[in-house]
Amino acid sequence: MGRFVRRILSPALVAVLLIGALLVQQSGTLLRTALERGLQPLLVPTLRIGAPVEWRLLPQPGLTLRAITLTEADGSTPLVLREAELSLAIDAAARHITIDALDLTGLELTLTKAADHGWNAAGWLAPRDAATSGSGVAVTVGRLHLREASVRVLGPPEDRASGGRPVDGLRLDALEVAIEALQPGVAAPFTLAGEVRIGPPAGLELHLETSGALTIGEAGAAIDALRVDGRGRSEGLEAIVVVLGAERIELGGTDGSASASAIAWQIAAEKDGFGPLRASGTLSRLTGTAQAWRSGPIELSLEAAPATGSLTARLDVDELAGVASQWSASHLSLSARSTAGSPPLELTLAAHARGEGGTDALPWPGALTLEVASATLRTPHPSGSGDALAIEWSGRLQAALASAEVDAVLDGRFDDSRFEARASYRPGTALPVRLDAAVDRLALDRYLPPAQPDGPPPDLTSWRRWPVEAELRIEELKLGELTAQDGRIRLRGGDMPLTVAP
């Protein structure tokens, strides 16, 4: 009997072992299919796990997923993840899974602005069904570590079709992210390091190291004690050092709102011909969404050390507000001083400003309009007397920052003269500066250097080498004992002759 049982059980045992081995062999494929089917209802793009899932029970349950992709309806693959490793703690009775550790390696992410100006990633999560949103298994994540990640940012399709914008060259490479305890309501220390590259015209390359504490709640997330340190270079600037800090940043809300408080930054760099450059600033608060935002008071300062003298500037803005790609500054004041000459060159200005971003992908500056309520420029007197000439003016300045083109309409006075002027700057042309001005009266000899008894008369021919085309109309011109009415002076640089019309 015993022999009979052994003869029956032996083939059965072999069959069980073979079936078990086959199940183990096929379990990775079955798990992959189950995970794809379980996660796909949560996502709009098509999810694929390209390799069988590896699993383990000891010493701690865990999974390893490889070749994960999200594919859009147009066939593009904006997200590729080489490997995800999860260490699990499962409480079946409480229907709760804790991911003690989540290690992600080799993330390649492309963020794109769609034609309707929405980010592609904003539509990746499927709408939640209110009837079933409260059911299912609760999942929490402990430690998160992201290695060897890269992110690329692209503007809307119409921008890329027209040759792209600077933001299309924005890349984050070699990203390393570590979050110690990604638990709801718990402040989790985190670090982030990586390389930031922005294409022309900025040509910026920075290595960044970031730290702070991340708290995730039901209404969103918050970052406390944020600090960012960067080192790199850009077009025309060497040895860039960036330090940025924020007391608190809050992200989330049903409307995608965000806020930041007590932001401060410092930038130091080297530039040929200017020596060390130092810039710093503070921003009390920033609130809003990607489409509409508002700031508190802003302070900016700049120090430079040219070959001769020094340059300092300070900008104060009461409030900065933006809607979509447009922004405005309700009131700003600027003061600048250069000690390159004697007396120093000084500028004070009070104005309102508005601008428009060059692309909606990021608030990259495109156009700027400055409505100058009052301004005073103090410059060394052209007569060489050692005194300062004060020019008071108001008007409008418009600049297309991408092409560096500038147009200005000015109205002002100096000494006893009043003037109106239109000016423009077009880089890349033979005579980039164009000036058309009218003056009510001008005592010209007041602005000429004194004649030397034994020397030649003042040399005015150097004006011909200026890259300027100008026309000056003077209602009353005085030169010594000579008085002329309705005078006109035309100046065309580039070694062209100077003409004076009565």
Side-chain angles (χ1 to χ4, degrees):
M1 182 69 179
R3 180 179 300 176
F4 175 78
V5 171
R6 287 196 299 272
R7 291 182 62 184
I8 296 298
L9 288 181
S10 295
L13 181 60
V14 171
V16 168
L17 291 176
L18 288 175
I19 293 173
L22 182 62
L23 288 175
V24 170
Q25 182 181 6
Q26 297 298 319
S27 62
T29 302
L30 295 175
L31 274 174
R32 174 180 64 181
T33 303
L35 282 172
E36 288 180 347
R37 289 179 177 176
L39 293 174
Q40 188 61 73
L42 306 176
L43 300 168
V44 174
T46 302
L47 170 70
R48 288 289 181 267
I49 303 173
V53 175
E54 296 180 7
W55 59 277
R56 64 180 183 275
L57 293 177
L58 297 174
Q60 182 179 8
L63 299 173
T64 300
L65 290 67
R66 293 188 175 89
I68 303 168
T69 60
L70 292 182
T71 303
E72 299 274 25
D74 61 2
S76 62
T77 306
L79 185 147
V80 176
L81 180 61
R82 189 164 72 243
E83 182 177 285
E85 185 173 351
L86 300 81
S87 297
L88 306 174
I90 302 174
D91 187 342
R95 298 179 63 81
H96 184 269
I97 297 176
T98 298
I99 302 177
D100 284 341
L102 175 59
D103 292 283
L104 307 177
T105 305
L107 173 68
E108 297 180 10
L109 174 64
T110 302
L111 296 176
T112 307
K113 271 283 189 176
D116 61 357
H117 306 297
W119 288 103
N120 59 336
W124 286 355
L125 293 179
R128 298 182 66 180
D129 186 347
T132 59
S133 59
S135 63
V137 178
V139 178
T140 58
V141 180
R143 181 181 63 84
L144 170 66
H145 196 174
L146 174 65
R147 305 179 180 87
E148 302 175 25
S150 66
V151 179
R152 184 184 180 191
V153 181
L154 295 176
E158 61 270 21
D159 286 348
R160 299 197 298 275
S162 62
R165 300 294 180 93
V167 70
D168 291 332
L170 175 59
R171 293 187 62 94
L172 300 111
D173 293 312
L175 287 178
E176 298 277 341
V177 180
I179 305 176
E180 294 303 321
L182 199 59
Q183 303 286 349
V186 177
F190 74 89
T191 59
L192 182 152
E195 307 290 333
V196 178
R197 295 180 175 86
I198 300 178
L204 178 65
E205 297 180 3
L206 281 179
H207 174 76
L208 294 181
E209 294 184 358
T210 305
S211 63
L214 174 66
T215 303
I216 297 179
E218 294 183 0
I223 299 175
D224 292 290
L226 176 68
R227 181 182 173 91
V228 179
D229 294 274
R231 293 180 179 272
R233 61 176 299 278
S234 71
E235 292 293 336
L237 294 177
E238 299 291 339
I240 298 176
V241 178
V242 178
V243 179
L244 182 146
E247 183 179 276
R248 185 174 178 84
I249 298 176
E250 295 183 356
L251 307 169
T254 57
D255 59 351
S257 61
S259 65
S261 60
I263 304 171
W265 62 90
Q266 296 179 353
I267 302 174
E270 297 280 342
K271 180 175 174 59
D272 293 341
F274 280 87
L277 297 171
R278 290 184 295 274
S280 60
T282 61
L283 172 60
S284 62
R285 67 182 184 277
L286 181 65
T287 59
T289 67
Q291 294 299 312
W293 49 269
R294 188 175 301 274
S295 82
I298 303 173
E299 297 179 359
L300 301 173
S301 63
L302 172 69
E303 297 178 10
T308 59
S310 63
L311 173 65
T312 59
R314 178 185 173 94
L315 176 67
D316 292 272
V317 182
D318 287 351
E319 183 183 75
L320 197 63
V323 177
S325 62
Q326 297 181 341
W327 59 267
S328 63
S330 58
H331 178 268
L332 63 85
S333 60
L334 171 69
S335 61
R337 189 172 190 266
S338 171
T339 61
S342 181
L345 180 70
E346 297 178 335
L347 172 66
T348 58
L349 178 147
H352 303 279
R354 64 180 184 273
E356 185 173 357
T359 175
D360 284 339
L362 282 180
W364 198 271
L368 170 67
T369 299
L370 202 62
E371 301 284 355
V372 181
S374 63
T376 301
L377 175 65
R378 296 184 180 275
T379 180
H381 205 282
S383 66
S385 63
D387 297 329
L389 174 64
I391 305 174
E392 300 175 359
W393 55 278
S394 60
R396 173 185 294 180
L397 283 78
Q398 294 177 298
L401 302 184
S403 61
E405 296 183 354
V406 180
D407 291 279
V409 178
L410 308 177
D411 182 5
R413 62 177 299 155
F414 58 92
D415 292 338
D416 299 327
S417 304
R418 296 198 62 86
F419 68 89
E420 296 178 354
R422 291 180 176 271
S424 64
Y425 174 67
R426 299 290 184 268
T429 60
L431 298 174
V433 179
R434 168 70 187 178
L435 176 65
D436 189 351
V439 181
D440 60 352
R441 63 179 63 90
L442 180 63
L444 187 58
D445 51 357
R446 182 185 296 181
Y447 306 99
L448 297 178
Q452 300 296 326
D454 301 327
D459 181 16
L460 304 180
T461 59
S462 62
W463 292 6
R464 300 177 183 177
R465 294 189 293 273
W466 292 3
V468 176
E469 183 175 6
E471 180 172 321
L472 176 62
R473 297 181 300 279
I474 308 171
E475 294 181 17
E476 182 179 276
L477 175 64
K478 290 184 178 181
L479 181 59
E481 299 298 325
L482 175 64
T483 300
Q485 303 293 329
D486 297 327
R488 180 177 297 177
I489 299 176
R490 292 191 180 96
L491 171 65
R492 183 175 174 83
D495 292 327
M496 300 298 291
L498 174 68
T499 61
V500 178

